[in-house]
Amino acid sequence: MDRLVNTVRPYAWGSTTAIPELLGVAPTGEPQAEMWMGAHPGAPSRTERGSLNALIDADPVGELGERSVDAFGPRLPFLLKVLAAGAPLSLQAHPDLAQARAGYAAEEAAGIPIDAPHRTYKDANHKPELICALTPFEGLCGFRAPAEAADLLAALGVDSLKPYVDLLHAHPEEAALREVLTALLTADPEEMAHTVAEAAAAADRLGGEHAPYASLAHHYPSDPGVIAAMLLNRVTLQPGEALYLGAGVPHAYLSGLGVEIMANSDNVLRCGLTPKHIDVPELLRVVRFEPTDPAVLRPEASPSGEEVYDTPIDEFRLSRFVRPEGAAPTDLTSPTPQILLAVAGRPKAGDVTLAAGESVFVPAGEEAELSGTGMVFRATVVA
C-alpha cells in the first residue's frame, strides 16, 4: 500500500485552525479548506511511486481491479476530502450524469478554456457527495416547505420581501420555489443589496432561527444568496452523523470539520454566497425544485466492527472503524481500490502507522489488515 501525501486547498472560506489541529501541526495563519485524497487531476495525491493519477493511468486494472474498471472506467471513481469550513461555502447544486456530460460537451465545443472563470462544467461526471461530521457541523440542505420559508421571510418585516412571501404561498409548490429563486437571482443588484441589508439587520435583531442569516450577510453583504438560503432547511450534524447530497439538491456548508466523499468531479453550479460565476439558466435547469426533509445518516454497524454509511450510489462507499485498545485486527483485503484515513489515535494499515490526518491508498487485491487503536475512515466503491 502507498502512504499518501495530500494537497491542502487554501480556499478563502477555510478554517485557519481545524486541519492543522487534526494534523498536529502549527497553523500558518492562512485558510486551509480542503485536503484532497485521490487521483483528481486538480490535486492528485502523491506516493513514493509517483502521483496517484499517473500510477492509475499506467496500470488501471492493477491499481483499481477489474470490477472497478468494468463499472466506472480506468480512473479512481471517488475523491475523499477533509473539509474545514471556517466561513460559509457557496450555495450550490450539482448536475446528474446526463446533465454533466451534455454540459461538458457543449462547453468543449464552444472552446471555453477549462480554467475560464465563466466555465461551468470542468468534467463530464456527476458529483453526488456525502459529508460526515468530525465536529458539530452546520449546513443548509434542500428546500424547506414553501410555507415555512414564507413564514421565515415574513417575520423579518421587510417590505421588499413581501412579493417573495406571496409567491411562496402559491401552488404548486415546485413552481413557487422556482419562481422565487429565479426572481432572487435576476433582481436588480442595487435593489437586492438594499433588501439584503434590511433583512440582515432584522435577522440580527430577531436572533434565534434568524441569526444564521445575519451571519451570512456579514460574510456576503448584498448577495441574493442570503435570502435564497432562507428557502433551505438548516441542518446540524453531530460527530459521526452524515448527510448525503444527490444531484440537483441545493446546499451549502456553513461551519465545522468533516470527512467528505464524492464522485470524482469538480462540477459546481452556484446559487449565491460567492463572488464566483453564477450561470442562472443552467442552474435553474439543474436544481430540483421540491421540498425535502434532509435525512441525517448514522452508520450501520457490521459484525466486523465496520460502520457503513448507506447511500444510493456505487462510485463510493464510506465507512469507519472505531477501534478500542486491544481490538483484534481486521482484514480489509478487497478486489476494489481503497483509501484509509486516520482521524484519531495511531492505527496501523498493514505495516504503516497512521497519525491523525494521514492516509494510504490500497490497490485492488492487495492484502490489507487494520490494527491498533483509533478511528479510521475507509473509502472504496460498490462494484
Side-chain angles (χ1 to χ4, degrees), residues 71 165 172 287 326 336 349 376:
V165 172
V287 169
T336 56
V376 176

Side-chain angles (χ1 to χ4, degrees), residues 92-131:
Q92 60 189 256
H94 306 301
D96 63 26
L97 189 55
Q99 291 164 339
R101 288 173 174 170
Y104 180 77
E107 292 190 323
E108 286 288 283
I112 302 173
I114 200 73
D115 57 353
H118 61 288
R119 174 96 185 209
T120 297
Y121 291 96
K122 304 299 178 67
D123 51 68
N125 201 17
H126 62 166
K127 192 174 178 277
E129 61 191 41
L130 178 78
I131 183 75

Side-chain angles (χ1 to χ4, degrees), residues 49-346:
R49 295 189 291 149
S51 70
L52 189 54
N53 57 343
L55 296 180
I56 291 170
D57 287 345
D59 185 10
V61 173
E63 300 293 336
L64 305 177
E66 290 186 4
R67 291 187 188 180
S68 183
V69 172
D70 288 347
F72 310 112
R75 58 184 180 80
L76 187 66
F78 61 83
L79 176 62
L80 185 67
K81 299 180 181 181
V82 173
L83 182 148
L89 283 68
S90 60
L91 189 59
Q92 60 189 256
H94 306 301
D96 63 26
L97 189 55
Q99 291 164 339
R101 288 173 174 170
Y104 180 77
E107 292 190 323
E108 286 288 283
I112 302 173
I114 200 73
D115 57 353
H118 61 288
R119 174 96 185 209
T120 297
Y121 291 96
K122 304 299 178 67
D123 51 68
N125 201 17
H126 62 166
K127 192 174 178 277
E129 61 191 41
L130 178 78
I131 183 75
C132 177
L134 294 178
T135 67
F137 196 94
E138 296 283 338
L140 303 169
C141 177
F143 287 109
R144 300 173 184 262
E148 293 178 10
D151 290 344
L152 193 67
L153 291 174
L156 295 170
V158 175
D159 287 344
S160 53
L161 290 177
K162 289 180 180 178
Y164 303 116
V165 172
D166 292 340
L167 285 172
L168 288 168
H169 285 299
H171 290 280
E173 291 185 329
E174 292 80 0
L177 291 168
R178 176 183 290 274
E179 193 164 352
V180 170
L181 186 60
T182 302
L184 288 171
L185 297 182
T186 57
D188 178 81
E190 289 188 10
E191 293 180 4
M192 181 52 63
H194 182 70
T195 296
V196 171
E198 282 194 273
D204 190 42
R205 186 171 59 253
L206 289 169
E209 63 178 343
H210 289 87
Y213 308 104
S215 177
L216 287 181
H218 172 74
H219 289 287
Y220 299 100
S222 79
D223 193 312
V226 173
I227 308 300
M230 297 188 198
L231 304 178
L232 306 188
N233 298 291
R234 186 174 167 223
V235 182
T236 301
L237 300 177
Q238 297 304 318
E241 295 180 335
L243 198 62
Y244 172 74
L245 299 156
V249 177
H251 62 277
Y253 302 144
L254 304 181
S255 64
L257 180 70
V259 173
E260 186 181 35
I261 190 168
M262 62 198 65
N264 194 5
S265 173
D266 200 24
N267 286 326
V268 178
L269 291 105
R270 297 175 179 85
C271 314
L273 307 181
T274 178
K276 295 182 179 180
H277 174 65
I278 297 178
D279 184 343
V280 175
E282 187 66 11
L283 173 71
L284 296 176
R285 190 175 75 86
V286 164
V287 169
R288 295 182 178 176
F289 290 94
E290 53 189 27
T292 59
D293 183 12
V296 173
L297 299 177
R298 295 172 180 83
E300 299 177 6
S302 68
S304 69
E306 184 174 23
E307 301 177 344
V308 180
Y309 293 91
D310 186 31
T311 60
I313 201 75
D314 291 339
E315 281 93 334
F316 61 74
R317 175 183 180 272
L318 186 70
S319 60
R320 70 173 187 173
F321 294 85
V322 182
R323 297 183 52 81
E325 190 75 37
T330 303
D331 182 17
L332 299 185
T333 306
S334 170
T336 56
Q338 306 175 68
I339 291 178
L340 305 177
L341 165 68
V343 296
R346 292 188 64 82

